[in-house]
């Protein structure tokens, strides 16, 4: 790649997609891993076509859930369009996992030994515009808001099967998560993960610490198992479930905040 050219060319999509709120919903939906676009200048990053279909490239199924939830709730949805293998929008700039050279045992050869200029291009043209847009949407709101971060997780990681249908990740704001955990458990048909399959910390994730915890905004980081939302029926079913539970969650959160 030439030294002065930008990373994104005229044929590449913008780094984020916004679907604007159609109601005065209290929710802002964000989806860090909704897309798997790659800038044309980066080719396939040395990753096979089969691996581009795996969870390492994106959060399988979450785009369909997010769009359906946006429609059902009438809430803003902001999605990252580029693959997490280009740059992971849920990692702080410079984080060791930001531009992974290895993901779930698959080498990403196009990310090995990247120089500072190449890293800065991905940050400046993909990561920062996405987060700047989320910040702008949140700043423009004049009403109580909860940030809802949507993710999906692979049913099997490093050879270990995961039993949870859904998980809620939390760090400082445990009360908000506890309300949603109780609602999900009360559904009766779900194995619910409390900080499973991942634990949220100030440094593991970026979107929630940066946009919500820093400013004391209520948030949920929701992880749905990918085999449940790999087809449209599953995506709609999960969007309907969340669209039913989230207003109950909001009612409980806003009673005491
Ligand atoms: Zn994710």
């Amino acid at each position: 790649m030439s030294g002065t050219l930008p990373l994104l060319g005229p044929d590449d999509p913008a780094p984020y997609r916004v679907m604007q709120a159609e109601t005065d919903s209290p929710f802002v939906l964000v989806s860090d891993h909704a897309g798997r676009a790659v800038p044309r200048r980066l080719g396939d990053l040395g990753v096979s076509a089969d691996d581009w279909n795996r969870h390492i490239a994106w959060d399988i199924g979450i785009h369909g859930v997010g769009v359906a939830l946006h429609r059902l709730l009438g809430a803003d949805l902001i999605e990252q369009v580029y693959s997490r293998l280009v740059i992971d929008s849920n990692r702080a700039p410079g984080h060791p996992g930001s531009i992974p050279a290895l993901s779930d045992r698959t080498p990403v050869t196009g990310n090995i030994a990247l120089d500072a200029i190449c890293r800065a291009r991905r940050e400046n043209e993909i990561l920062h515009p996405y987060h700047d847009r989320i910040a702008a949407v949140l700043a423009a709101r004049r009403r109580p808001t909860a940030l809802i971060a949507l993710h999906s997780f692979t049913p099997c990681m490093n050879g270990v099967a995961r039993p949870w249908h859904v998980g809620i990740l939390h760090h400082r704001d445990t009360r908000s998560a506890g309300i949603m955990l109780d609602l999900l458990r009360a559904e009766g048909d779900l194995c619910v993960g409390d900080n499973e399959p991942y634990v949220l910390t100030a440094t593991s994730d970026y979107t929630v610490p940066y946009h919500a915890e820093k400013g004391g905004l209520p948030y949920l980081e929701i992880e749905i198992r990918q085999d449940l939302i790999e087809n449209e029926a599953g995506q709609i079913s999960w969007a309907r479930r969340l669209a039913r539970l989230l207003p109950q969650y909001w009612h409980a959160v806003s009673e005491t905040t």
Side-chain angles (χ1 to χ4, degrees), residues 181-225:
L181 284 165
D182 286 346
L183 287 165
L184 287 165
R185 291 184 186 117
E187 293 281 278
D189 61 342
L190 298 177
C191 178
V192 180
D194 180 350
N195 261 340
E196 298 282 6
Y198 309 105
V199 177
L200 178 58
T201 72
T203 52
S204 64
D205 289 47
Y206 184 55
T207 299
V208 157
Y210 182 68
H211 293 288
E213 292 213 304
K214 198 173 63 176
L217 200 66
Y219 70 83
L220 293 172
E221 184 157 341
I222 303 176
E223 291 270 3
I224 305 170
R225 208 177 64 203

Side-chain angles (χ1 to χ4, degrees), residues 3-247:
T4 54
L5 279 175
L7 174 60
L8 299 186
D11 298 329
D12 289 316
Y16 54 80
R17 185 187 300 117
V18 177
M19 295 179 209
Q20 289 195 315
E22 290 147 13
T23 70
D24 59 355
S25 166
F27 304 114
V28 171
L29 311 171
V30 294
S31 206
D32 299 335
H33 303 139
R36 57 174 168 171
V38 185
R40 289 184 70 158
R41 292 204 171 95
L42 297 184
D44 63 6
L45 287 173
V47 172
S48 73
D50 283 349
D51 282 324
W52 277 107
N53 288 325
R54 292 175 57 220
H55 74 98
I56 61 171
W58 62 339
D59 280 3
I60 292 165
I62 208 65
H63 168 67
V65 173
V67 171
L69 201 51
H70 151 76
R71 292 196 183 119
L72 288 165
L73 293 170
D76 281 318
L77 169 66
I78 305 144
E79 292 184 328
Q80 174 55 262
V81 167
Y82 285 94
S83 171
R84 62 193 303 168
L85 295 182
V86 177
I87 188 163
D88 189 332
S89 287
N90 197 24
R91 298 288 178 268
H95 186 285
S98 170
I99 301 176
L102 185 72
S103 183
D104 194 13
R105 302 173 177 174
T106 299
V108 187
T109 54
N111 290 348
I112 294 171
L114 275 191
D115 63 26
I117 292 172
C118 291
R119 289 184 169 273
R121 281 198 188 103
R122 298 193 200 183
E123 292 169 2
N124 293 334
E125 297 181 47
I126 296 174
L127 179 76
H128 294 319
Y130 169 70
H131 284 291
D132 289 351
R133 185 59 191 258
I134 294 172
V137 166
L138 291 172
R141 294 172 66 83
R142 294 286 178 269
R143 57 184 179 275
T145 296
L147 183 75
I148 310 297
L150 301 172
H151 291 270
S152 68
F153 64 95
T154 181
C156 188
M157 186 76 165
N158 294 324
V160 179
R162 284 136 154 211
W164 313 282
H165 297 108
V166 61
I168 300 294
L169 314 189
H170 52 94
H171 180 224
R172 292 202 195 106
D173 181 4
T174 55
R175 199 183 69 82
S176 167
I179 290 167
M180 192 62 174
L181 284 165
D182 286 346
L183 287 165
L184 287 165
R185 291 184 186 117
E187 293 281 278
D189 61 342
L190 298 177
C191 178
V192 180
D194 180 350
N195 261 340
E196 298 282 6
Y198 309 105
V199 177
L200 178 58
T201 72
T203 52
S204 64
D205 289 47
Y206 184 55
T207 299
V208 157
Y210 182 68
H211 293 288
E213 292 213 304
K214 198 173 63 176
L217 200 66
Y219 70 83
L220 293 172
E221 184 157 341
I222 303 176
E223 291 270 3
I224 305 170
R225 208 177 64 203
Q226 288 169 356
D227 56 307
L228 306 175
I229 54 172
E230 62 193 0
N231 60 38
E232 191 180 356
Q235 293 159 15
I236 299 292
S237 167
W238 268 90
R240 285 188 179 142
R241 192 195 288 263
L242 292 175
R244 176 167 52 77
L245 297 179
L246 281 169

